[in-house]
Amino acid sequence: MEETFRDSLATVDRQGKRSWIYSQKPKGKLYNARSILSFLYFLAFFAGPFIQLNGRPLFLFNVVEGRFILFGAIFWPQDFFIFGLAMLAFIVFIVIFTMAFGRLFCGWACPQTIFMEMLFRRVEYWIEGDAAAQKVLNSDSWNTEKILKKTGKHVLFYVLSFLIANTFLAYVIGLDSLLEIITGPVAAHTGGLASMVIFAGVFYGVFAFFREQVCTVVCPYGRLQGVLLDRDSVVVAYDYTRGEPRGHFKKQADNNLGDCIDCHQCVKVCPTGIDIRNGTQLECVNCTACIDACNFMMEKTGRPLHLIRYASENGIANKQPLRFTTRFRSYSAILVILLTAITWMLISREPVSGTIIRTAGMLYHERGADSISNLYQIKLVNKTASDIRLNMRLEDTPGRVELLGHQQIDVKGEQQGEGIFFVVLPRTAIKKRKTALHITLYAGDKKTGTIGTTFLGPAQ
């Protein structure tokens, strides 16, 4: 019979309509390990907005205000080049990780998989029962039991979606802003409240109806497998050399058959409805439910475990261990270089940054017979949580800085400040039309940063 499993999705029938997946609840060591990991994930996710470090949230990604906080350290738009390198390093990391370990991230760390399989699916099992009970309930006519179960499930789904959505929102606008929207007058926060309801509705739609199709239709990561995976990549794989030819279990062993008893338990527990025995497929999220199901059946029938396991194609066919190929080593080297550069920039990042602009439309000003001055405007960003009082000095150049209006520039914590000042140089220090200057910022006697600019003088 011709194999056509790669020509269509398990969640879509021949007419293009949705085929609802009723997956059985997995049981086994790997499912237990994923449950523990998921609990830690939920704990970190929901507690994150309440944790502060150095007086700041642990994480904040405020795109509107251009404020990003990672582990208590604030980043401003001036630091976007660091984020650019970080994103590049992250993409390289995804490539390397997928080349070596396939979609391990999808099954063990992806928020969509964790929330769907470890939270919403469990609520569904608790209210409606296992896969068989859900099928019966959905095929029954509407009665009191069905109305109560369906209503209870979807109300609970929306409540969970509301909590998840607004926790995500707390990472974007900050916990204080979120609480202000919730507790403040409705009239003053109509837009914010509407956004919260809509945001929660999107999450509810995903987990109540769209479900596994996020992984098979929307997420591009699964489609990248065809480019990134090779025969040495570790994936959830069926050992066909040991399992074929398949045959139903019989008490008296048939030496002509492999270890696969064709029980379809691996298919029944799959959240995307595939048969892993057909090989690596786009829909497989490496959730390991099939491994637990197969191990259970192997144990019951007295066969060796791990007929389905984490392995590479070469590992299955040729019994080869995981090998680090030239491509893997090359990408790893690039990743190390990028991470080193990012680490150096984070360590050497100055607490105060800014820009100095010479006043437009003005040339130099002669001060007597021996000095020349230029007028500048400075804009500063304080990246610390403390207020800073700054003064400026010339670095490696004779001359002085004259700040207009004040002796120093006061910049509040995590705020911006500005000032206007003259730089006065002796004529003997001016050798050409434009002279490079380095103006150093000091908070008391502590150096906080250096900003470069140019000084315009008379042509020699």
Side-chain angles (χ1 to χ4, degrees), residues 363-374 424-425 427 458:
L363 298 177
Y364 58 88
H365 178 70
E366 295 185 355
R367 295 197 174 192
D370 61 348
S371 298
I372 301 292
S373 68
N374 280 192
V424 184
L425 298 183
R427 285 181 178 270

Side-chain angles (χ1 to χ4, degrees), residues 1 3-6 8-11 21 236-239 244 246 260-285 290-291 294 307-308:
M1 178 176 144
E3 294 181 343
T4 60
F5 65 92
R6 297 191 193 277
S8 61
L9 295 175
T11 55
I21 300 296
V236 173
Y238 164 68
D239 189 347
E244 299 297 323
R246 307 170 194 172
C260 178
I261 61 174
D262 207 19
C263 61
H264 286 86
Q265 290 302 309
C266 57
V267 181
K268 292 178 181 178
V269 298
C270 180
T272 58
I274 66 169
D275 188 341
I276 193 63
R277 296 173 298 177
N278 290 329
T280 303
Q281 297 160 66
L282 175 151
E283 300 98 312
C284 180
V285 295
C290 56
I291 297 178
C294 185
L307 179 61
I308 301 175

Side-chain angles (χ1 to χ4, degrees), residues 93 95-102 228 230-234 312 314-315 320-333 335-336:
F93 175 79
V95 171
I96 295 171
F97 192 86
T98 305
M99 285 167 52
F101 304 108
L228 300 178
D230 57 28
R231 294 183 62 85
D232 293 312
S233 301
V234 175
S312 66
N314 282 332
Q320 292 181 357
L322 176 64
R323 295 185 299 110
F324 293 96
T325 61
T326 302
R327 184 173 65 161
F328 186 94
R329 289 193 293 268
S330 300
Y331 281 123
S332 297
L335 181 62
V336 169

Side-chain angles (χ1 to χ4, degrees), residues 373-392:
S373 68
N374 280 192
L375 183 62
Y376 297 88
Q377 183 179 18
I378 184 171
K379 293 186 177 181
L380 298 168
V381 177
N382 183 358
K383 301 176 184 178
T384 69
S386 305
D387 297 345
I388 297 180
R389 177 167 289 182
L390 298 168
N391 54 56
M392 295 177 288

Side-chain angles (χ1 to χ4, degrees), residues 110-124:
C110 177
Q112 166 66 23
T113 304
I114 290 176
F115 281 123
M116 184 68 245
E117 301 304 322
M118 296 298 173
L119 184 59
F120 288 88
R121 189 88 71 178
R122 286 187 169 186
V123 169
E124 196 168 56

